[in-house]
Amino acid sequence: MIILVEADHLAAPRRSPDGDDPVPLPDGDAISTPDGSLTAWLTGPTGIYRHGILGDAVEATGYRIVRRGGAVFEDRRVRLVDVTGDGEDELIVVRSDLDRGAALAVYGLTEQGIELLAATPPIGQAHRWLNPAAVADFDGDGQLEIAYVETPHIGGVLTILGLRVRGLSVEASDFGYSNHAIGSRVLDMAAVVDWNGDGVADLALPDSTRRQLRVATMAGGRIGGFLAVYHEARIATAIVATDLDGEGTAELVYGLDDGTLIVFKR
């Protein structure tokens, strides 16, 4: 099941009690195509308009379109980032083909709706996944790059993508990284930090065993590491870069699967 678009025109839509899906309009109709491949319905009931032309004063704040087909969004969130530099946020998601595995896809909002701007090729095999890590200017060229780890559970490959006129292109990649544990709901085992103070964004994330924290840089045009911290237990939480002591430089904060909290200061 793929959620293609949900528009919110008037106000934040009401959500279901479990917080997952917007509430359907109580008296709304769900309409499907004859083959059942596409279904649409109105969501987010609200009383802010107070017109009542349809028999009550409850109207919809959004709509949802669902397509059933050969792919799913194998993700927990849509990442909103202006990667094109046009002043409008794009949508970054993981889209998995049922036969060929995951790809990273970038969508844009247009007057016609949601448009696919670019996507990586699928990994090539079903049940092969990738996890986005961060979006930042990792090479100092003034343009944003997208970092993700391909197959983070089996020999993960850290990949840095640039979004250019011809689509997404690999600018650098390196083996031996991870940013996710199988079955975990934690997607944020990575943090952007200028660890060496050179003005270029670096990326902190675990190695493929998750027993080692690494800080990787692409400032020289290729991925290289200048920090590796080993732990007996595995990294199990999000990695946060934050200036805890107010001295102007960020510390890295994360937890291990034995309950240990790590605060790492350069």
Side-chain angles (χ1 to χ4, degrees):
M1 184 174 71
I2 299 181
I3 305 302
L4 290 179
V5 60
E6 178 185 320
D8 181 5
H9 302 297
L10 298 177
R14 285 175 50 196
R15 307 195 75 81
S16 59
D18 61 9
D20 289 334
D21 293 321
V23 174
L25 194 67
D27 60 348
D29 298 323
I31 305 299
S32 299
T33 55
D35 63 0
S37 63
L38 195 68
T39 302
W41 64 93
L42 295 170
T43 65
T46 180
I48 64 173
Y49 194 49
R50 301 184 183 280
H51 190 197
I53 196 68
L54 297 177
D56 60 26
V58 178
E59 314 300 344
T61 59
Y63 60 88
R64 175 155 286 194
I65 300 173
V66 176
R67 182 176 65 194
R68 292 170 176 85
V72 299
F73 290 127
E74 197 172 8
D75 214 334
R76 294 196 62 214
R77 64 176 67 111
V78 177
R79 298 153 189 84
L80 301 176
V81 185
D82 180 14
V83 291
T84 62
D86 64 355
E88 299 289 339
D89 284 345
E90 282 72 47
L91 299 81
I92 302 173
V93 291
V94 178
R95 186 182 66 186
S96 292
D97 185 272
L98 300 188
D99 298 318
R100 298 181 295 161
L104 186 126
V106 180
Y107 292 85
L109 295 174
T110 69
E111 292 182 357
Q112 290 72 39
I114 296 178
E115 176 186 353
L116 177 65
L117 299 181
T120 64
I123 292 173
Q125 181 178 341
H127 303 155
R128 293 294 183 266
W129 184 67
L130 62 85
N131 186 26
V135 179
D137 180 5
F138 290 111
D139 56 8
D141 66 353
Q143 295 181 303
L144 294 179
E145 285 81 37
I146 304 170
Y148 69 88
V149 179
E150 181 176 308
T151 59
H153 316 122
I154 47 174
V157 180
L158 174 60
T159 303
I160 310 293
L161 295 175
L163 179 59
R164 305 297 181 251
V165 175
R166 296 184 178 181
L168 292 168
S169 61
V170 176
E171 298 195 356
S173 64
D174 192 25
F175 291 87
Y177 294 87
S178 180
N179 62 343
H180 185 260
I182 291 178
S184 173
R185 305 289 282 172
V186 178
L187 297 180
D188 301 314
M189 290 185 191
V192 175
V193 59
D194 181 10
W195 194 253
N196 60 355
D198 64 355
V200 179
D202 306 312
L203 185 65
L205 74 169
D207 75 340
S208 58
T209 70
R210 291 189 293 111
R211 295 183 184 275
Q212 191 178 94
L213 177 73
R214 292 184 177 180
V215 176
T217 179
M218 204 186 82
R222 53 181 292 189
I223 295 175
F226 52 81
L227 173 71
V229 183
Y230 180 79
H231 303 291
E232 292 293 334
R234 289 182 172 85
I235 297 172
T237 71
I239 299 173
V240 178
T242 183
D243 183 7
L244 292 174
D245 54 17
E247 293 184 352
T249 58
E251 288 77 47
L252 295 172
V253 183
Y254 53 96
L256 308 181
D257 60 7
D258 66 355
T260 303
L261 178 67
I262 303 294
V263 178
F264 194 77
K265 180 179 177 63
R266 69 182 175 97

